[in-house]
Structure formats: structure tokens, C-alpha cells
Amino acid sequence: VLVVCSALNLPYYRAWRDLKGAGAAMAKGDHERAAALMGAASSALPGNGELAGAASLYAGVSLAARGMEREALASFRDYLARNPSDAAARSQVRVLESAVAFDDGDYRAFYQIQSGLLAENPEDPMLRLAEASAAACLWAAYGEADRRAEAESLVAAALAGIPEGDREARDRAEEYVRRIRYRLESGEIIDREEYYRRHPEEASK
């Protein structure tokens, strides 16, 4: 009887072990291992909807961290279908949708999503720069002069909103600004990877 009971409970033990390991890995920033362990926990109890949702969430985080936005978006959408009240996940879906729109050359959708995100957090400097980036795309792709002016205004507001003493935030913002201004000045839309391939001297700034 003990052997039979132990065998029946084995999937629960495995799920608990992997669930605990996934949490520890995520806390350490090891997103890929966390996703693998959460996936294993879900596989141990295939009928458990909460574990299935958690597996999708962890997979989405891992994929996004590796720059696989399209695949991450699919995972986050699966998680959100199971957890529709998760506001943070909904926000992340929109961020990923924005990245996919950019990759697809759908610059109007890119701009629309970024405008919505900034409207919800109007004082966030990086969201200001993200909308400036989207506005610069509309200038570069379609010659919309008002979008160029908007991009310049958002860049100025974003830089003005960062405290002088916050060197890390200012460096991050200035790095973003260099790429936005390249787009405005050249009229060319390239991604971050291509920008630094062309300008390796800036990679260390």
C-alpha cells in the first residue's frame, strides 16, 4: 500500500520540487533555468491550470530576456488568457506588441502602443524616449514633420526629467537618445544591433 501511495504521489513531489527550484532560479535572475523547471513542474501535473499558466509566464520572461519578443508575446498571451486580471502581464504584452510592430515595420502601430503606454505613465523618462523613437520612425518612414518635432520635444523632456545625480539613468537615456537622433538625422530606421554594428566606437560609451 505504501509503495502504491508513494507512486501515486510522485508527480506531486516532482512538481513541488521543480516549482521550488523555479522560484529560486528566477530570484537569482537565471530566467532560462527557471522557465525549464516551471515547465517541468507543469508537465508533472498536466491537468493543473495554475502550473500551466506559471509555465507560460516563466517562458515568456525567459524568451523576452533573450530578445525573442515574438515568442515571448505568445507565451505571455497564453498566461494572460488564464490570468486576465494581471495588470503587469497586460502591460508586458503591450511592450512586446510594440517590439513586434517595430520588427514588422508597422510603425503606426508602434507609435500607437507607445503613446498609450506613455499616457498611463506620463512622467517616465524612458517611456518618453520610447514614444520619441516611435515618432522618429513616422518621420523617417513617411516624412511627417510634426512627428519629428514631437520626437525632439520628448527627448528634451525626458532628459530634463532625470536627476543629475542619477548617473545610471542618465547614461541609459543618453544611449537611447543617440539612436533616436541618428534616426531623425539620417531618415533611416535601424535597430539597436545594427546601429552598434555601424558605430562600434559608441558601444563603450
Side-chain angles (χ1 to χ4, degrees), residues 134-155:
C137 283
L138 294 180
W139 151 251
Y142 311 115
E144 297 181 7
D146 55 338
R147 297 305 177 204
R148 177 169 188 163
E150 179 186 9
E152 293 284 9
S153 176
L154 285 164
V155 164

Side-chain angles (χ1 to χ4, degrees), residues 52-151:
S56 293
L57 177 62
Y58 276 49
V61 171
S62 175
L63 290 163
R66 287 182 279 156
M68 302 171 67
E69 287 89 357
R70 198 178 303 274
E71 295 83 355
L73 178 58
S75 289
F76 268 98
R77 282 175 171 166
D78 182 73
Y79 167 78
L80 200 57
R82 301 170 187 272
N83 301 272
S85 64
D86 191 329
R90 282 201 307 275
S91 180
Q92 184 61 33
V93 163
R94 292 167 69 196
V95 170
L96 291 168
E97 287 174 341
S98 172
V100 170
F102 176 84
D103 289 343
D104 289 345
D106 189 351
Y107 303 123
R108 297 200 186 282
F110 178 41
Y111 177 82
Q112 183 179 20
I113 294 168
Q114 291 301 335
S115 295
L117 290 170
L118 181 60
E120 294 172 7
N121 298 279
E123 301 305 315
D124 187 318
M126 296 309 290
L127 285 178
R128 282 174 171 165
L129 292 180
E131 183 168 351
S133 175
C137 283
L138 294 180
W139 151 251
Y142 311 115
E144 297 181 7
D146 55 338
R147 297 305 177 204
R148 177 169 188 163
E150 179 186 9

Side-chain angles (χ1 to χ4, degrees), residues 17-33:
R17 177 198 63 197
D18 292 333
L19 178 63
K20 185 176 179 181
M26 185 64 76
K28 293 178 181 177
D30 190 348
H31 303 126
E32 193 167 353
R33 176 167 173 76

Side-chain angles (χ1 to χ4, degrees), residues 7-21:
L8 290 174
N9 287 323
L10 186 59
Y12 295 92
Y13 293 140
R14 287 175 174 168
W16 177 82
R17 177 198 63 197
D18 292 333
L19 178 63
K20 185 176 179 181

Side-chain angles (χ1 to χ4, degrees), residues 180-194:
I180 293 169
R181 286 188 170 141
Y182 173 86
R183 186 172 298 162
L184 291 172
E185 292 164 7
S186 69
E188 187 178 13
I189 301 171
I190 57 176
D191 61 18
R192 186 177 189 278
E193 181 179 347
E194 177 61 17

